[in-house]
Amino acid sequence: MRILLIEDDDRIREDVCRALEAAGYIVDSEASGEEGWFLGDTEVYGAVVLDLGLPDMDGLTILKKWRREGRDMPVLVLTARGSWSERVEGIDAGADDYLPKPFHIEELLARLRAIVRRTNGQADPTVTVGDAQLDTRQMRLSIKGVPVALSPQEYRLVSFLMLNKGRVVPQQELAEHLQSVHFERESNAVEVLVGRVRRKLSTKLIQTRRGFGYIVEDQAEDI
């Protein structure tokens, strides 16, 4: 899953970026509010981590513009501001959660996982489809209780489809969530990745809808 991080403090941005990547996310990061707003307005992200105190365009303005323009990705707001009224204003503007600075990286990751789950209608951190079980906290997939060894990119593919179970996900949408905006997206990369994952799983977990995309059914058959 691709995450957009907009934070002008170099140390915080680098620390959060490393933690997100270690947690299995693809991260696009920006220090500029203008550049961050543009990426969020033109690219597809599973979630955004947004600092309010940006120099050129503040986070609250960015958030309001996104919501006016119909951008509905979940947003976790970071702020050094302590006023409860400012937190309320951020939530009313469309923030999904609020994390005051200073914060622990573990809490940021937990809150991010939670808003992503809620956005996909999944309250439990463990997603179960037939005999397949995805633990979003441990970033682990198991089939009939046996862990499956997946590369980070393979895990991102499986987790995105399982979090969106019951919905056909177009190939282009998958590509957008699996690769950074800074890398060229190969036309057959998703097909190759799906094929590799299927060979590892030896199951019918991931189904193809010809001409439409891929789907993990709510109730997978004989997996």
Side-chain angles (χ1 to χ4, degrees):
M1 178 178 292
R2 288 174 70 205
I3 302 294
L4 175 59
L5 168 63
I6 310 175
E7 167 63 65
D8 67 319
D9 184 295
D10 292 341
R11 183 186 60 81
I12 294 176
R13 188 177 64 258
E14 290 168 6
D15 288 348
V16 172
C17 190
R18 279 195 300 269
L20 290 171
E21 289 173 345
Y25 298 105
I26 294 289
V27 184
D28 293 333
S29 63
E30 285 292 345
S32 161
E34 288 277 1
E35 293 296 328
W37 164 78
F38 178 77
L39 280 179
D41 198 51
T42 56
E43 295 287 330
V44 176
Y45 292 98
V48 178
V49 179
L50 174 65
D51 181 36
L52 285 192
L54 299 168
D56 50 354
M57 181 189 293
D58 69 88
L60 196 59
T61 299
I62 292 171
L63 183 56
K64 288 178 177 178
K65 289 183 69 172
W66 281 340
R67 295 316 192 212
R68 281 198 305 268
E69 291 153 5
R71 306 296 286 174
D72 60 358
M73 61 281 197
V75 175
L76 172 60
V77 165
L78 304 178
T79 182
R81 304 171 186 174
S83 167
W84 67 266
S85 61
E86 289 174 321
R87 293 197 293 271
V88 169
E89 186 178 10
I91 291 171
D92 284 344
D96 295 88
D97 202 355
Y98 228 100
L99 187 59
K101 298 177 181 178
F103 55 84
H104 292 287
I105 289 292
E106 292 79 5
E107 182 178 3
L108 183 148
L109 294 174
R111 287 177 178 271
L112 187 62
R113 288 193 298 268
I115 65 172
V116 169
R117 290 198 309 269
R118 289 198 301 268
T119 300
N120 290 283
Q122 175 71 34
D124 197 303
T126 301
V127 184
T128 301
V129 179
D131 291 326
Q133 189 172 73
L134 181 78
D135 187 333
T136 61
R137 293 167 299 188
Q138 299 297 319
M139 295 182 292
R140 181 180 300 156
L141 176 73
S142 59
I143 304 291
K144 296 182 179 179
V146 179
V148 180
L150 298 174
S151 71
Q153 193 172 47
E154 291 166 352
Y155 172 80
R156 285 191 289 268
L157 171 76
V158 174
S159 63
F160 188 79
L161 288 172
M162 287 187 70
L163 284 168
N164 286 274
K165 62 181 180 179
R167 179 173 77 87
V168 176
V169 180
Q171 183 170 308
Q172 179 62 30
E173 183 179 347
L174 266 179
E176 288 169 341
H177 279 283
L178 293 172
Q179 297 173 301
S180 166
V181 68
H182 301 297
F183 291 90
E184 185 177 351
R185 295 162 189 165
E186 299 177 9
S187 59
N188 68 335
V190 172
E191 293 177 20
V192 171
L193 184 61
V194 169
R196 193 164 72 229
V197 169
R198 281 175 171 158
R199 287 191 294 274
K200 284 192 173 185
L201 300 183
S202 300
T203 71
K204 298 179 181 179
L205 181 65
I206 301 174
Q207 300 290 316
T208 300
R209 295 290 183 265
R210 295 294 177 190
F212 295 97
Y214 301 96
I215 184 172
V216 167
E217 300 279 9
D218 276 316
Q219 297 295 325
E221 54 177 298
D222 301 324
I223 72 167

